[in-house]
C-alpha cells in the first residue's frame, strides 16, 4: 500500500511540474509576443492643452497641425529679441535645435548678440501666415518685421522666413532658419 500511495504522490507531483512547465512556457511566449508588439508599434503622444485642439505626434511622422504650432512658437522665439533678453534668446534657440546644427547656429547667433548687445535695437514680428510641409519638414512664416530703436519704430518690412526641421522618433528639432529673398519667394 505504501508503494501505491508513493506512486500516486509522484504522479501528482509530476503532473503539477508538467502543468507548471507548460504555464511558464506559455507566459514566456506571451511576454516575448508583447515585447515584439511593443517594439514594432508606433509611438504616439497626445499634446494638450497648449493648442486649440487635441493633436498628437507619432513615430510615423509629423502632423501638419503640430508642425504649424511648433513653427509659430519657434518663429515668435527666433524673431522677437531685445538687448535685455539676448542670452535667453540664444539659449532657447539652441535647446530646440538639432545637435548637428548647433555649431553653425550658435556662431550666427553669437554674431547677432555681439552686434546687438549694448544697443537699444529691439525686433519683433507680427505673423501674417504660416505654410508647412510635413513631407519635406520645412515651414515658412510671413509677417511684418518691426525694428525699434529706443522707443521709435524705425523700420517695418514684410519678410518671409523659412525653417528647416529634423524629426527622429518623437522629437522635432530645428536644423536652421533664415529669411528668404524676394527672388526665392518668386521662384516658388
Amino acid at each position: 500500500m505504501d508503494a501505491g500511495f508513493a506512486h500516486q504522490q509522484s504522479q501528482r507531483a509530476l503532473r503539477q511540474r508538467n502543468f507548471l512547465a507548460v504555464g511558464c512556457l506559455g507566459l514566456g511566449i506571451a511576454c516575448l509576443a508583447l515585447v515584439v508588439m511593443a517594439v514594432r508599434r508606433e509611438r504616439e503622444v497626445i499634446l494638450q492643452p497648449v493648442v486649440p485642439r487635441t493633436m498628437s505626434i507619432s513615430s510615423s511622422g509629423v502632423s501638419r497641425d503640430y508642425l504649424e504650432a511648433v513653427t509659430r512658437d519657434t518663429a515668435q522665439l527666433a524673431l522677437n529679441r531685445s538687448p535685455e533678453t539676448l542670452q535667453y534668446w540664444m539659449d532657447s534657440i539652441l535647446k530646440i535645435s538639432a545637435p548637428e546644427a548647433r555649431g553653425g547656429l550658435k556662431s550666427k547667433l553669437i554674431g547677432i548678440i555681439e552686434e546687438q548687445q549694448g544697443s537699444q535695437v529691439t525686433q519683433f514680428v507680427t505673423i501674417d501666415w504660416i505654410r508647412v510641409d510635413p513631407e519635406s519638414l520645412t515651414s515658412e512664416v510671413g509677417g511684418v518685421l518691426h525694428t525699434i530703436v529706443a522707443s521709435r519704430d524705425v523700420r517695418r518690412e514684410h519678410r518671409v522666413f523659412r525653417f528647416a526641421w529634423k524629426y527622429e522618433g518623437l522629437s522635432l528639432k530645428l536644423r536652421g532658419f533664415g529669411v528668404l529673398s524676394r527672388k526665392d519667394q518668386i521662384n516658388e
Side-chain angles (χ1 to χ4, degrees), residues 103-119:
L105 272 174
K106 187 171 184 173
S107 66
K108 290 177 184 176
L109 297 177
I110 286 174
I112 292 170
I113 286 176
E114 288 172 353
E115 177 183 303
Q116 195 173 353
Q117 204 158 26
S119 71

Side-chain angles (χ1 to χ4, degrees), residues 181-188:
S181 67
R182 296 239 185 253
K183 180 183 170 187
D184 291 337
Q185 294 174 38
I186 293 171
N187 290 336
E188 293 183 0

Side-chain angles (χ1 to χ4, degrees), residues 67-179:
L67 185 57
E68 182 174 335
V70 171
T71 297
R72 180 198 63 228
D73 293 346
T74 303
Q76 291 292 336
L77 172 68
L79 304 174
N80 295 335
R81 64 179 183 264
S82 68
E84 295 84 13
T85 62
L86 288 174
Q87 189 63 46
Y88 172 79
W89 170 77
M90 181 177 75
D91 293 343
S92 298
I93 292 173
L94 292 175
K95 281 181 189 174
I96 63 170
S97 65
E100 64 272 10
R102 282 193 186 122
L105 272 174
K106 187 171 184 173
S107 66
K108 290 177 184 176
L109 297 177
I110 286 174
I112 292 170
I113 286 176
E114 288 172 353
E115 177 183 303
Q116 195 173 353
Q117 204 158 26
S119 71
Q120 293 184 340
V121 177
T122 299
Q123 286 188 320
F124 70 93
V125 68
T126 52
I127 296 174
D128 296 326
W129 53 266
I130 297 176
R131 258 186 252 138
V132 297
D133 184 2
E135 298 299 318
S136 66
L137 290 176
T138 59
S139 47
E140 293 181 356
V141 176
V144 177
L145 184 65
H146 301 263
T147 304
I148 299 185
V149 177
S151 61
R152 288 191 40 219
D153 193 349
V154 296
R155 185 169 45 184
R156 294 178 185 193
E157 353 178 48
H158 193 277
R159 295 281 182 101
V160 176
F161 299 89
R162 177 175 284 157
F163 295 84
W165 303 96
K166 176 184 177 183
Y167 190 62
E168 284 184 333
L170 294 176
S171 179
L172 185 64
K173 296 291 187 178
L174 182 66
R175 286 186 319 161
F177 67 97
V179 65

Side-chain angles (χ1 to χ4, degrees), residues 5-18:
F5 180 72
H7 179 65
Q8 277 182 338
Q9 288 293 89
S10 67
Q11 289 298 316
R12 192 170 80 195
L14 188 60
R15 277 193 299 271
Q16 286 177 347
R17 184 197 71 186
N18 290 344

